[in-house]
Every structure is written in structure tokens, then in C-alpha cells.
Amino acid sequence: MRAMPPACIFVSVIGFSDVERHALNTLFRLSRDGAVAYAPWEPLTAPGVPAPTTQADVLLIDGACAEAVMAQARALPAGPRLIWVGPGAPEQAWRVLDRPIRWAELLDDLDAVYAARQAGLGGLDLDVSAPMPLDVPEPTRRRALLVGLAPTESALLHQRLALRDITEVDEAGSTEAALDLMGRHAYVCGVFDLDEPHFDGWSLAQWFARRHPHALNVGLSQHAGPLAGWWRRRRVRRDTRRVGIHALLPKPMPVAELGEWLGRL
């Protein structure tokens, strides 16, 4: 088992569905490659083993579960930052997130917890806006990731990527599958459908930018096309810069513009 980095934020998780727990555990596992790791805090110990002497740095609570109601009924510890997901957040909540959970935003909040802790210790030396260092060996074959694409879009990209000698192409149709692939492989290109309603393509694209800072990051959206209103196009392009997307293409993809971006690989 890989050892945790010296800097580690422990998160006490209360509630959440099996799917959300799986996504959280995947994020915790992937964070071990960075300068700061995030790990679940388990207060329960085996018989005869002393209880932990430290408390969790973060309380991550699902407001829709019964345990959350019980957590509010009793006095919460003063030290940890409280991140609340869903309705009914108490006044002491430090951050409140809505569903579907934007995992990249949650990671930003955890980074902010570490930054605040370092500032309190007089040792703030972490740029929370910087991409995560990529601690993955350079692949022998260049690889691309396609997330949430329609069959016609996927077929076109397979064809165009092959022209750039990229034949190792992974496809994901869910948040969990995309996170798992990002954790197991190094990529030179990622393409994300930003309009897919079944998962948060924006957060996945932002996590891809953090995990693979030197890869080409492409977003697809119908709101980038000429039929979308100018204000919507402007907002989508602003958001792409915020999450680290390099190329924003409309749907259907313009072949010439796609080829121009892929030509940079």
C-alpha cells in the first residue's frame, strides 16, 4: 500500500449513497499522487487499540440522511470545517454544496481547508489554484479519454486521433468510470460532453485538467454553436477557461476545427 504524503487532510464522511461513496473513495485514492492527500477519518478502532488522538479536519455530511439530523442534534466539534451537501444546512456550515455533487468544487474546498490550516500555522506555501503534479510514468503509447460522447462523435474522434498515432482510446459513460480511468492511465487528450445530463462533465473536465495538466482538454457543447444565444456562448466560454478546458467545440463537431486542435498533439 502506498504511504500517505506528509500533508494529509482527514475527512469524516456521514451519509451519502453507495455511488457517491465510491466516487469519494476514488478521489481519496487519486489524491495520494499529489502534494496533499485526502483520506477518510475512521474513529472506530479494534478492541485494545487506543482511540485516535487527533480529530478529523473536515466533516462531510449528507443533509438527506438520518445521521445528519442526529449530527445536528448533538454538539459538533469546534475544530473541523463542516461541508454540508443538500438542504437544511446549519449556520456553522463552512461550505454548502448542492446535488449533483460537483467533485472538482469539493476538491477545491478541501484544498482551501489545507491552505487555511497552513496559514494558521504560519506556513502557507500551497498554491491551491495550481494543477496537481502528475506522478504517472510516461505511457509507451499515447492515450486519449472520451467521456459521455455519442456514437457518431466517438467514431469521428477515433478516426481523427488515429491520424495522430493515438490508437489507445478509452471511453467512459459515467462519473465513476471516468474517475477510475483517470486514476489508472496517463492521457495526452481528453474530450468531454459538457451537456450530458447524467453526470457532471464540467467537474470531470476540471479534474482531468488537475490530473493531466499537460494534456489537451476538449469540451463539447451545443451552447458553443451559432444557434445558441450570445450571452450563453459567452458564459460557456468563460466557464471553460475556469475549469482548464483548452478547446470548446460545438455539436456536431466541426471537422476542420477539431483537426486543428488535434494537430497540436
Side-chain angles (χ1 to χ4, degrees):
M1 181 179 295
R2 181 180 302 182
M4 286 290 182
C8 186
I9 295 294
F10 289 99
V11 184
S12 178
V13 181
I14 298 177
F16 299 98
S17 66
D18 291 341
V19 172
E20 290 170 333
R21 285 259 179 172
H22 178 73
L24 278 169
N25 288 332
T26 302
L27 291 181
F28 290 152
R29 177 171 54 83
L30 294 180
S31 73
R32 296 177 186 176
D33 292 331
V36 181
Y38 304 103
W41 180 79
E42 300 292 346
L44 299 180
T45 61
V49 177
T53 57
T54 60
Q55 62 182 2
D57 301 289
V58 176
L59 298 178
L60 181 61
I61 297 181
D62 175 8
C65 75
E67 290 177 271
V69 177
M70 296 175 62
Q72 283 196 82
R74 63 177 181 267
L76 293 173
R81 301 291 181 112
L82 172 58
I83 299 179
W84 189 277
V85 177
E91 293 183 359
Q92 66 267 36
W94 182 65
R95 292 284 192 275
V96 179
L97 303 178
D98 295 322
R99 280 190 168 88
I101 301 172
R102 293 179 176 268
W103 301 107
E105 288 186 9
L106 176 59
L107 284 170
D108 287 342
D109 289 339
L110 294 177
D111 284 344
V113 170
Y114 175 74
R117 188 175 75 177
Q118 289 297 96
L121 297 175
L124 181 58
D125 56 0
L126 174 70
D127 180 4
V128 298
S129 65
M132 289 179 55
L134 181 61
D135 185 21
V136 178
E138 184 68 22
T140 56
R141 290 187 177 183
R142 299 197 300 167
R143 199 179 196 104
L145 174 64
L146 311 181
V147 180
L149 271 59
T152 54
E153 297 165 342
S154 174
L156 175 60
L157 276 159
H158 274 268
Q159 179 187 44
R160 304 302 295 190
L161 287 167
L163 296 176
R164 306 302 304 171
D165 196 29
I166 302 175
T167 57
E168 298 288 332
V169 181
D170 296 323
E171 300 197 45
S174 69
T175 298
E176 293 72 30
L179 289 172
D180 181 63
L181 287 168
M182 284 186 229
R184 291 191 289 114
H185 302 294
Y187 292 102
V188 298
C189 177
V191 183
F192 300 85
D193 186 338
L194 304 177
D195 300 334
E196 171 57 50
H198 300 297
F199 58 85
D200 189 354
W202 289 98
S203 292
L204 289 173
Q206 186 172 16
W207 176 250
F208 182 84
R210 292 163 59 95
R211 176 75 181 170
H212 306 282
H214 303 297
L216 175 64
N217 197 337
V218 181
L220 306 179
S221 175
Q222 62 182 348
H223 302 305
L227 298 181
W230 71 270
W231 175 249
R232 186 178 293 273
R233 291 200 308 271
R234 178 181 178 184
R235 185 174 62 181
V236 169
R237 292 189 180 280
R238 178 201 62 195
D239 289 342
T240 57
R241 291 192 295 270
R242 176 179 57 83
V243 303
I245 293 175
H246 303 116
L248 176 64
L249 302 180
K251 295 189 292 186
M253 288 181 288
V255 177
E257 189 175 355
L258 173 64
E260 180 180 345
W261 279 103
L262 295 182
R264 306 185 183 194
L265 295 173

